[in-house]
Amino acid sequence: GAVVSQHPSRVICKSGTSVKIECRSLDFQATTMFWYRQFPKQSLMLMATSNEGSKATYEQGVEKDKFLINHASLTLSTLTVTSAHPEDSSFYICSAYKTGLSYGYTFGSGTRLTVV
Amino acid sequence: QKEVEQNSGPLSVPEGAIASLNCTYSDRGSQSFFWYRQYSGKSPELIMFIYSNGDKEDGRFTAQLNKASQYVSLLIRDSQPSDSATYLCAVITYKLSFGAGTTVTVRA
């Protein structure tokens, strides 16, 4: 199998605070993980590619100082939304790529972030 | 031009009918194509993947790929109310890029 666990599923935070979201591959090692953001009634937009042991690669327009990504082990990547603002409220989803699987990508269950 | 485009919908079909979803992509070099189903507030789940031109069937689902036309489609036969969801087309370029999704409603 290829299971990705994402926590928390929901979080509400105050404006100006930071929130950390965890993404774990449970039964495989993931050298690469991906972080997506989805606003209501819109599609998933790739924010960044998380590479184990090296810096993340951010998509154009994504602030790397605001969305901190750490991929310190082969099974864990974290996304920290720093100094959160209401416009950061969104559905954040991680994905991991397992080599050998014909379809490759498996998704976490997502985190609903609400900044008040 | 968007990397992946889908007919916006919403698409409403009666129970038992065929739902037809379409997707076009811009990168002619794309090799891998996916259809995901997403229920409201949930993460996407893989329905089908297809790599070769032609049809691929899995139960009530059939994916069709035409690389020359840069077109991929999904047919849902014998549609059920539980099929009501947003269907996302995704294509691998250097990343997994998603279309905006088509919302399908199956009327009982």
Side-chain angles (χ1 to χ4, degrees):
Chain A
V3 179
V4 173
S5 175
Q6 185 174 343
H7 293 281
S9 58
R10 290 178 180 271
V11 58
I12 300 173
C13 71
K14 291 184 177 181
S15 187
T17 62
S18 296
V19 173
K20 180 184 285 187
I21 303 169
E22 291 190 350
C23 181
R24 294 180 183 272
S25 55
L26 296 185
D27 52 358
F28 67 103
Q29 294 182 329
T31 55
T32 304
M33 292 186 177
F34 305 89
W35 288 96
Y36 293 84
R37 179 169 54 184
Q38 186 177 35
F39 292 109
K41 300 198 182 297
Q42 295 186 27
S43 191
L44 281 74
M45 296 301 296
L46 180 65
M47 299 176 65
T49 301
S50 172
N51 305 298
E52 187 270 333
S54 64
K55 292 182 179 180
T57 304
Y58 290 82
E59 294 298 300
Q60 190 173 8
V62 177
E63 300 174 62
K64 60 182 179 182
D65 294 331
K66 180 171 183 61
F67 299 99
L68 301 179
I69 291 173
N70 184 285
H71 194 155
S73 77
L74 286 171
T75 59
L76 174 64
S77 175
T78 61
L79 168 67
T80 301
V81 183
T82 63
S83 186
H85 291 284
E87 57 265 31
D88 298 324
S89 299
S90 187
F91 192 47
Y92 292 85
I93 308 172
C94 71
S95 174
Y97 185 86
K98 181 179 181 181
T99 56
L101 273 184
S102 54
Y103 52 87
Y105 298 87
T106 187
F107 286 85
S109 56
T111 297
R112 173 72 60 191
L113 170 62
T114 302
V115 184
V116 298
Chain B
Q1 182 183 10
K2 292 182 180 178
E3 294 172 333
V4 183
E5 296 205 53
Q6 296 182 242
N7 45 340
S8 57
L11 178 65
S12 180
V13 298
E15 185 174 359
I18 296 175
S20 178
L21 307 171
N22 302 316
C23 174
T24 57
Y25 58 95
S26 61
D27 186 345
R28 187 170 289 278
S30 301
Q31 296 295 320
S32 305
F33 308 88
F34 305 84
W35 283 100
Y36 288 87
R37 177 174 62 197
Q38 187 177 27
Y39 294 111
S40 180
K42 302 295 184 182
S43 191
E45 56 179 320
L46 183 68
I47 298 296
M48 295 280 291
F49 60 92
I50 186 167
Y51 303 144
S52 303
N53 277 328
D55 295 359
K56 179 180 180 182
E57 186 175 318
D58 184 0
R60 296 185 294 110
F61 299 95
T62 299
Q64 299 173 317
L65 175 61
N66 184 324
K67 290 186 180 180
S69 301
Q70 295 176 237
Y71 172 90
V72 58
S73 66
L74 179 70
L75 298 177
I76 307 173
R77 292 183 301 282
D78 188 23
S79 296
Q80 302 297 309
S82 59
D83 295 327
S84 298
T86 297
Y87 290 80
L88 301 168
C89 174
V91 175
I92 291 181
T93 53
Y94 76 94
K95 61 182 180 181
L96 186 61
S97 298
F98 287 86
T102 300
T103 298
V104 174
T105 301
V106 180
R107 309 186 304 271

